[in-house]
Amino acid sequence: MKKVILAFILVVFFGCAISATEIQEIIYSYYGKSFRAKILVPESTKPLPVIIYNYDPNLELYKKKDPKLFEDIMRRLMRNFESNGYISFIPQEQYSVYEAVRAGIEYMSRHPKADKKRISLMSIGGKVFLTLLVLPEYSSKLKACVMISSGSFDQKGFYSLAEFKKKIPKIDVPFYFMVGAEQGLWFKRNTRLLYDLFLKQEKKVFYREYPEADMRTFWNSEGSYMWDVFQFFGQES
């Protein structure tokens, strides 16, 4: 009987040890420029799908004022991705978003644990449009994209909506645009505008407005909207 109990304890102990994974802080590079990111790779004998996540820039305020709260939000988010079988990769750059996303796609497309055919993007707020700008060049390496509550666009130049419109025909990846009904008109207008642009180009695109949701709703990794996120990524995988 003692041997059975001991064997059970060993199985539980080593089982927990094997399944335990840690969130890592890494430095990755692209054409000589380095970036910071958090990454969490679940234990698996098979290649796993990837979510490259760009968090809301407003969270930077919490990162400075309350680092513990910021880290808790990131941890909950990444553990949720992990529990659904995804590698999570979160660039930590506040300003070089465009370059960091490009570098992140390149990095994850070479990661030994990643399923290169199932890399998806998820972006929120002011980082949405900067993420979209990467897609004309990189959509062939992506499986699907979720864009939540788009921020503003530049009026002219490379980062303008006018320039981006010209490149939409080159983008070939399914989209899901989400926004909260309680968010400002600015976010709702911008998100709907982007959705309509892709729809006119006959792209595979979906749109949903969530009742009683504001920006903080989308910080909650256990929110009901995440069910839609995982269902969408699962279908497109």
Side-chain angles (χ1 to χ4, degrees):
M1 183 64 177
K2 290 182 179 180
K3 291 183 179 179
V4 173
I5 294 174
L6 179 59
F8 175 77
I9 293 173
L10 289 173
V11 168
V12 171
F13 176 80
F14 285 111
C16 292
I18 291 170
S19 62
T21 53
E22 298 296 330
I23 296 172
Q24 297 179 329
E25 301 270 356
I26 66 166
I27 302 292
Y28 63 107
S29 301
Y30 182 76
Y31 284 104
K33 189 171 183 179
S34 296
F35 306 93
R36 296 171 299 111
K38 293 179 182 292
I39 186 171
L40 178 57
V41 182
E43 288 289 344
S44 176
T45 57
K46 299 179 180 179
L48 294 172
V50 178
I51 295 177
I52 298 175
Y53 179 89
N54 289 299
Y55 59 84
D56 177 16
N58 288 317
L59 275 174
E60 290 291 338
L61 299 176
Y62 286 87
K63 189 175 182 179
K64 295 174 182 178
K65 295 180 179 179
D66 192 344
K68 289 184 178 180
L69 176 60
F70 174 82
E71 292 299 330
D72 185 61
I73 292 173
M74 291 293 103
R75 179 186 59 80
R76 289 175 179 270
L77 177 73
M78 298 180 83
R79 290 301 181 190
N80 194 14
F81 289 150
E82 177 191 33
S83 66
N84 282 274
Y86 288 87
I87 296 172
S88 54
F89 181 90
I90 306 182
Q92 299 294 296
E93 303 301 324
Q94 183 178 2
Y95 301 108
S96 304
V97 177
Y98 172 76
E99 292 85 356
V101 173
R102 293 170 65 191
I105 295 172
E106 292 286 357
Y107 178 84
M108 291 312 305
S109 66
R110 293 176 172 83
H111 196 285
K113 297 287 187 178
D115 184 340
K116 283 72 175 174
K117 296 181 179 180
R118 299 169 68 194
I119 299 175
S120 298
L121 281 179
M122 186 173 175
S123 192
I124 298 182
K127 293 183 180 179
V128 165
F129 191 61
L130 293 171
T131 301
L132 289 175
L133 292 173
V134 174
L135 299 182
E137 184 180 354
Y138 282 93
S139 67
S140 62
K141 293 189 176 184
L142 299 172
K143 193 66 180 178
C145 298
V146 170
M147 301 290 146
I148 301 175
S149 306
S150 177
S152 60
F153 328 113
D154 285 357
Q155 296 301 311
K156 57 183 178 180
F158 178 78
Y159 297 102
S160 69
L161 186 61
E163 285 299 313
F164 179 67
K165 286 180 182 178
K166 301 174 186 177
K167 300 173 182 177
I168 292 179
K170 299 179 181 179
I171 299 174
D172 185 22
V173 62
F175 280 91
Y176 200 146
F177 287 95
M178 302 177 175
V179 71
E182 296 301 315
Q183 293 188 256
L185 291 175
W186 188 255
F187 288 107
K188 290 191 282 188
R189 184 189 73 86
N190 290 341
T191 306
R192 183 74 197 198
L193 176 59
L194 289 171
Y195 166 74
D196 288 339
L197 286 176
F198 280 89
L199 194 63
K200 289 177 181 178
Q201 294 280 351
E202 298 183 345
K203 302 298 181 180
K204 188 174 183 180
V205 60
F206 304 91
Y207 177 89
R208 182 172 178 183
E209 186 172 306
Y210 291 81
E212 302 180 1
D214 58 17
M215 187 64 87
R216 289 174 183 251
T217 302
F218 299 112
W219 294 358
N220 179 12
S221 61
E222 285 103 30
S224 59
Y225 78 97
M226 286 297 290
W227 188 89
D228 293 330
V229 170
F230 289 126
Q231 185 181 48
F232 176 66
F233 283 153
Q235 288 175 346
E236 297 307 325
S237 296

